[in-house]
Amino acid sequence: MNEFNEYVREVFSATGDIVIKSMMGGYLVYLNGKLIGDICGNELFLKRTPTSDRLLAGCELRYPYKGSKTLMYVFDRFEDTALVTELLDGMYTELPEKKPTKAR
């Protein structure tokens, strides 16, 4: 895990349990078990929800990797802890619950 990932974990952990998992050359970011975004090449991308669209309206939409959905590129909003808390709390309530895995 690199320094940027640890920084994201530290900032976001005030809102809940943050898990960052390695996946296909990048990392998946989970908040309390829900996937909220990706880290690719030391850049943070968050899923689009009504809350993220409202609070991060100025963020650029990008594809973090080939074949991905468009995500919000987040680059400089980490210092505003009130914004981070409002953002993650809102996103968490708006994102669907994790689908149960099927038994094989």
Side-chain angles (χ1 to χ4, degrees):
M1 188 102 28
N2 66 32
E3 197 172 302
F4 183 74
N5 293 15
E6 289 301 324
Y7 176 66
V8 169
R9 182 196 323 272
E10 180 181 317
V11 171
F12 285 8
S13 66
T15 306
D17 180 40
I18 298 296
V19 174
I20 299 175
K21 294 182 181 179
S22 178
M23 182 77 157
M24 301 183 311
Y27 298 89
L28 301 177
V29 182
Y30 293 87
L31 169 63
N32 298 327
K34 288 186 182 182
L35 179 63
I36 61 167
D38 299 343
I39 297 175
C40 299
N42 288 342
E43 295 179 330
L44 176 64
F45 298 88
L46 293 177
K47 288 188 164 203
R48 294 187 67 194
T49 70
T51 297
S52 64
D53 281 348
R54 178 174 52 85
L55 294 176
L56 302 175
C59 286
E60 183 180 345
L61 298 178
R62 290 192 191 173
Y63 297 95
Y65 53 90
K66 189 175 182 170
S68 75
K69 292 181 180 180
T70 306
L71 299 177
M72 302 183 93
Y73 170 58
V74 182
F75 52 93
D76 65 355
R77 307 289 176 106
F78 298 117
E79 302 306 320
D80 186 343
T81 54
L83 173 71
V84 169
T85 299
E86 183 180 354
L87 173 67
L88 295 183
D89 285 346
M91 287 181 68
Y92 184 80
T93 61
E94 295 162 351
L95 288 168
E97 292 296 324
K98 184 177 177 183
K99 294 177 184 170
T101 55
K102 294 180 181 179
R104 293 184 180 197

